[in-house]
Amino acid sequence: MKTRRTLVTAVAALTVAALLGGCGDGDVRETVGSKGAKGAINISPDQHRVRGKKVDSIAAKVPAAIRARGTLRIGGSADASPPLGFYATDDKTRIGSEIDLATLVADTLGLKTDFQAVSWENLFVGLDSSKFDGVFSNVTVTEDRKEKYDFATYRLDDLAFEAKKGTSWRVKSPKDVAGKTVSVASGTNQEKILVDWSKQNQKAGRKPVDIKYFQKDTDYYLALQSGRIDAYFGPHPTSAYHVASAGQTQVIGRFSGGGDQVQGKIAATTRKGSGLVDAYAAALDHVIEDGSYAKVLKRWGLSSEAVKKSEINPPGLPTP
């Protein structure tokens, strides 16, 4: 289980120190970001979540066995970073945008939520074994995954370049990172994009990207503040949260998680043939239409990743 020390996975230690020095004790414990109700992000266990109401016609789409059980067993990654899924200031309560959206869907389906945080790989093991009815954990639709799982989309999958606040540098294409030192997590879509861009630059006679790897998000941000790297290339939600909460960096470029080939999309994930994907999509369309979905994204700073409707099994990231 993550502790308070790792709650701020996406906020470097030096950032936390700055936040502690700039707020009163109550603000430090309960919020991060700009002081005041409009700018602060609530990280206390008392979340005042946006809630929904059961819609009978949509609830009827849920398989009878799950309706009889009355709970929706939802898996989430214990390794996720703010604002997606993390522990509140009590070190016990799981909070974040993914938890909020899953709760809203469950409300619409007339079900209580049973959240379980496990390692990333065990999310899919849990689906395969029917331990989970669904996963809401920043899962990107891919062509490979569609062979085993059904998807109902609820957010765009975007990546971001994050650099020191005040820089005039912007990243719009591969040439903009030529000769730059950029950190990225190993084995990710963003690493593949960055490696491909570096090769393109070399082929065009430009300098390659100096790619750096770190073990933790805090290491990225410490390296960024000390000038050892020029930028960090990672998930947009993590960067957006860090920008809002720390105030020391800015997003200088944003791209689809699918690169130039397809707009990546994040989706509620369920075992293929579970009978739940239609219910998830209908519930998501309902909360999009009634405005509660937009309220959830806004409170976590993710409004720019909103979708207009939920799609079932749309084109996913292509097989490598």
Side-chain angles (χ1 to χ4, degrees), residues 61-201:
K61 296 178 181 291
V62 176
I66 297 176
R67 292 203 308 271
R69 187 206 306 150
T71 59
L72 199 62
R73 300 174 305 194
I74 299 170
S77 174
D79 304 319
S81 298
L84 301 174
F86 58 113
Y87 286 97
T89 50
D90 63 353
D91 287 340
K92 296 185 298 182
T93 305
R94 195 75 173 162
I95 64 174
S97 61
E98 306 295 72
I99 290 85
D100 282 6
L101 285 172
T103 300
L104 202 54
V105 166
D107 286 345
T108 305
L109 299 177
L111 300 170
K112 294 182 179 179
T113 53
D114 176 11
F115 287 109
Q116 297 184 48
V118 298
S119 62
W120 173 259
E121 62 274 12
N122 279 320
L123 292 175
F124 300 96
V125 172
L127 286 173
D128 295 343
S129 66
S130 297
K131 177 182 179 180
F132 299 140
D133 301 311
V135 165
F136 285 70
S137 194
N138 204 45
V139 178
T140 303
V141 181
T142 71
E143 289 303 305
D144 279 348
R145 288 173 181 161
K146 281 164 62 177
E147 294 180 7
K148 291 184 66 176
Y149 308 104
D150 283 326
F151 296 93
T153 60
Y154 60 81
R155 190 162 49 76
L156 299 180
D157 173 26
D158 281 351
L159 304 172
F161 282 90
E162 188 178 357
K164 273 189 175 181
K165 190 173 183 177
T167 181
S168 59
W169 173 38
R170 297 292 183 270
V171 179
K172 297 181 179 179
S173 65
K175 66 180 181 179
D176 297 319
V177 293
K180 296 289 188 178
T181 301
V182 182
S183 68
V184 71
S186 178
T188 59
N189 292 330
Q190 54 265 31
E191 179 195 24
K192 182 181 183 301
I193 291 172
L194 198 59
V195 169
D196 288 346
W197 282 12
S198 186
K199 291 178 180 178
Q200 289 180 43
N201 282 330

Side-chain angles (χ1 to χ4, degrees), residues 271-285:
R271 179 175 51 82
K272 188 167 286 295
S274 71
L276 275 164
V277 71
D278 289 336
Y280 287 152
L284 285 162
D285 281 342

Side-chain angles (χ1 to χ4, degrees), residues 16-28:
V16 176
L19 288 170
L20 293 177
C23 302
D25 289 344
D27 292 333
V28 169

Side-chain angles (χ1 to χ4, degrees), residues 19-72:
L19 288 170
L20 293 177
C23 302
D25 289 344
D27 292 333
V28 169
R29 288 194 301 270
E30 306 302 336
T31 64
V32 295
S34 304
K35 190 172 183 179
K38 291 186 178 180
I41 300 173
N42 177 15
I43 59 172
S44 77
D46 189 6
Q47 282 290 291
H48 305 294
R49 286 192 173 98
V50 178
R51 301 301 299 262
K53 294 182 179 180
K54 180 181 178 181
V55 178
D56 290 338
S57 60
I58 299 176
K61 296 178 181 291
V62 176
I66 297 176
R67 292 203 308 271
R69 187 206 306 150
T71 59
L72 199 62

